[in-house]
Amino acid sequence: RAGGTKFPAALSEGNCLIALALWSLAWKGVALWKAAKNDSKPWYIALLVFNTVGILEILYVSFFSKRKK
């Protein structure tokens, strides 16, 4: 790259995309598991259809899913 900023190898575009995909996949798995366990079809469908890079999944797991007592 002529005149571009050089990033360390760990911050290259490919590595960032892989890390982001793994982050999203992990949260999606947890959220889908909880939605299925809670018999929450609307949440399950929303979590399955929309890709929000983990944001919707974190909100569901943190605030909207039923907690065990």
Side-chain angles (χ1 to χ4, degrees):
R1 297 199 258 188
T5 305
K6 296 194 179 208
F7 292 105
L11 297 177
S12 70
E13 288 178 19
N15 289 341
C16 286
L17 286 176
I18 291 170
L20 189 62
L22 291 174
W23 168 265
S24 179
L25 184 65
W27 278 106
K28 188 168 289 286
V30 171
L32 286 172
W33 178 267
K34 285 187 171 270
K37 244 180 130 175
N38 291 334
D39 291 325
S40 181
K41 287 182 184 179
W43 270 108
Y44 187 88
I45 292 169
L47 291 165
L48 188 62
V49 171
F50 298 113
N51 185 9
T52 59
V53 195
I55 297 169
L56 184 61
E57 291 84 354
I58 292 170
L59 289 174
Y60 177 74
V61 169
S62 299
F63 300 108
F64 298 108
S65 66
K66 297 176 185 173
R67 297 179 189 258
K68 289 185 177 180
K69 291 184 178 183

